[in-house]
Amino acid sequence: MVLSYRDLRVWQESMDFVTDVYKATETFPKNEVFGISAQLRRAVVSIPSNIAEGSARKGRRELINFLHIAKGSLAESTTQLEIAKRLGFLSEESFEKLIEKGETIAKMINSLIRSLNRKEE
Protein backbone atom coordinates (compact mmCIF):
# COMPACT_ATOMS: atom_id res chain seq x y z
CA MET A 1 0.00 0.00 0.00
CA VAL A 2 1.29 3.45 -0.95
CA LEU A 3 1.05 5.84 1.97
CA SER A 4 2.78 8.84 0.39
CA TYR A 5 4.18 9.98 -2.94
CA ARG A 6 7.58 9.39 -1.32
CA ASP A 7 6.77 5.66 -1.36
CA LEU A 8 6.36 5.68 -5.16
CA ARG A 9 9.42 4.28 -6.94
CA VAL A 10 8.76 6.60 -9.88
CA TRP A 11 8.97 9.62 -7.57
CA GLN A 12 12.20 8.30 -6.04
CA GLU A 13 13.73 7.66 -9.46
CA SER A 14 12.69 11.07 -10.73
CA MET A 15 14.30 12.70 -7.67
CA ASP A 16 17.54 10.89 -8.53
CA PHE A 17 17.13 12.16 -12.11
CA VAL A 18 16.90 15.74 -10.79
CA THR A 19 20.16 15.25 -8.89
CA ASP A 20 21.88 13.75 -11.94
CA VAL A 21 20.75 16.59 -14.21
CA TYR A 22 21.79 19.25 -11.70
CA LYS A 23 25.26 17.67 -11.50
CA ALA A 24 25.50 17.52 -15.29
CA THR A 25 24.50 21.17 -15.72
CA GLU A 26 27.22 22.29 -13.30
CA THR A 27 29.67 21.74 -16.16
CA PHE A 28 27.72 23.87 -18.65
CA PRO A 29 29.29 27.19 -19.69
CA LYS A 30 28.69 29.98 -17.19
CA ASN A 31 26.99 32.09 -19.87
CA GLU A 32 24.27 29.41 -19.98
CA VAL A 33 23.28 29.85 -16.33
CA PHE A 34 20.10 31.67 -17.42
CA GLY A 35 19.71 29.73 -20.66
CA ILE A 36 19.50 26.00 -21.29
CA SER A 37 20.85 25.17 -17.83
CA ALA A 38 18.06 27.01 -16.01
CA GLN A 39 15.37 25.77 -18.41
CA LEU A 40 16.54 22.17 -18.08
CA ARG A 41 16.64 22.38 -14.30
CA ARG A 42 13.11 23.80 -14.15
CA ALA A 43 11.78 21.08 -16.45
CA VAL A 44 13.42 18.22 -14.57
CA VAL A 45 12.23 19.54 -11.18
CA SER A 46 8.69 19.52 -12.56
CA ILE A 47 8.71 15.73 -12.94
CA PRO A 48 8.75 14.68 -9.26
CA SER A 49 6.87 17.85 -8.31
CA ASN A 50 3.90 16.91 -10.49
CA ILE A 51 3.94 13.34 -9.24
CA ALA A 52 3.83 14.65 -5.68
CA GLU A 53 1.12 17.21 -6.42
CA GLY A 54 -1.06 14.69 -8.20
CA SER A 55 -0.68 12.24 -5.33
CA ALA A 56 -1.84 14.90 -2.87
CA ARG A 57 -5.03 15.58 -4.83
CA LYS A 58 -8.38 14.01 -4.07
CA GLY A 59 -8.94 11.53 -6.84
CA ARG A 60 -7.37 9.06 -9.19
CA ARG A 61 -8.28 11.14 -12.27
CA GLU A 62 -6.35 14.09 -10.89
CA LEU A 63 -3.32 11.91 -10.20
CA ILE A 64 -3.47 10.56 -13.75
CA ASN A 65 -3.66 14.12 -15.09
CA PHE A 66 -0.58 15.17 -13.11
CA LEU A 67 1.26 12.04 -14.25
CA HIS A 68 0.61 13.13 -17.84
CA ILE A 69 2.00 16.57 -16.97
CA ALA A 70 5.07 14.87 -15.47
CA LYS A 71 5.49 12.95 -18.76
CA GLY A 72 5.39 16.26 -20.61
CA SER A 73 8.07 17.70 -18.36
CA LEU A 74 10.15 14.57 -18.93
CA ALA A 75 9.84 14.98 -22.71
CA GLU A 76 10.85 18.63 -22.34
CA SER A 77 13.85 17.58 -20.25
CA THR A 78 15.07 14.96 -22.69
CA THR A 79 14.70 17.41 -25.58
CA GLN A 80 16.80 19.95 -23.70
CA LEU A 81 19.39 17.27 -22.96
CA GLU A 82 19.56 16.61 -26.71
CA ILE A 83 20.06 20.34 -27.35
CA ALA A 84 22.80 20.47 -24.70
CA LYS A 85 24.55 17.51 -26.33
CA ARG A 86 24.32 19.10 -29.79
CA LEU A 87 25.81 22.30 -28.39
CA GLY A 88 28.69 20.32 -26.89
CA PHE A 89 27.68 20.91 -23.26
CA LEU A 90 27.23 17.18 -22.56
CA SER A 91 29.44 14.27 -23.52
CA GLU A 92 27.87 11.40 -25.41
CA GLU A 93 28.36 9.18 -22.36
CA SER A 94 26.64 11.61 -19.95
CA PHE A 95 23.84 12.17 -22.44
CA GLU A 96 23.21 8.44 -22.90
CA LYS A 97 23.12 7.79 -19.15
CA LEU A 98 20.62 10.61 -18.60
CA ILE A 99 18.45 9.59 -21.54
CA GLU A 100 18.40 5.98 -20.33
CA LYS A 101 17.28 7.13 -16.89
CA GLY A 102 14.61 9.31 -18.50
CA GLU A 103 13.33 6.36 -20.56
CA THR A 104 13.10 4.25 -17.40
CA ILE A 105 11.09 6.97 -15.66
CA ALA A 106 8.80 7.30 -18.70
CA LYS A 107 8.07 3.57 -18.58
CA MET A 108 7.34 3.78 -14.86
CA ILE A 109 4.95 6.71 -15.34
CA ASN A 110 3.19 4.87 -18.17
CA SER A 111 2.85 1.74 -16.04
CA LEU A 112 1.40 3.71 -13.15
CA ILE A 113 -1.10 5.42 -15.46
CA ARG A 114 -2.16 2.05 -16.91
CA SER A 115 -2.55 0.60 -13.44
CA LEU A 116 -4.65 3.54 -12.26
CA ASN A 117 -6.81 3.34 -15.38
CA ARG A 118 -7.46 -0.38 -14.81
CA LYS A 119 -8.67 0.34 -11.28
CA GLU A 120 -11.40 2.55 -12.74
CA GLU A 121 -12.79 -0.20 -14.94
Side-chain angles (χ1 to χ4, degrees), residues 5 9-10 20 22 28 42 44 53 62 65 67-69 81 86 92-93 97 105 108 115:
Y5 61 88
R9 249 188 75 232
V10 67
D20 294 344
Y22 262 72
F28 286 16
R42 278 192 302 275
V44 77
E53 186 172 354
E62 285 183 285
N65 184 52
L67 290 171
H68 283 291
I69 294 168
L81 288 168
R86 288 179 181 211
E92 185 68 34
E93 181 183 351
K97 284 180 184 176
I105 293 166
M108 293 172 82
S115 173

Side-chain angles (χ1 to χ4, degrees), residues 20-29 36-37 40-41 90:
D20 294 344
V21 168
Y22 262 72
K23 287 178 183 173
T25 59
E26 287 174 359
T27 65
F28 286 16
I36 189 83
S37 179
L40 178 53
R41 286 178 171 194
L90 276 177

Side-chain angles (χ1 to χ4, degrees), residues 68-88:
H68 283 291
I69 294 168
K71 275 178 48 176
S73 295
L74 180 57
E76 181 181 355
S77 299
T78 56
T79 297
Q80 291 164 0
L81 288 168
E82 176 73 35
I83 292 167
K85 183 190 82 160
R86 288 179 181 211
L87 292 171

Side-chain angles (χ1 to χ4, degrees), residues 38-68:
Q39 184 67 25
L40 178 53
R41 286 178 171 194
R42 278 192 302 275
V44 77
V45 164
S46 291
I47 302 164
S49 298
N50 279 296
I51 294 168
E53 186 172 354
S55 297
R57 298 291 179 120
K58 287 185 178 184
R60 186 176 303 139
R61 292 265 28 116
E62 285 183 285
L63 173 54
I64 291 169
N65 184 52
F66 276 91
L67 290 171
H68 283 291

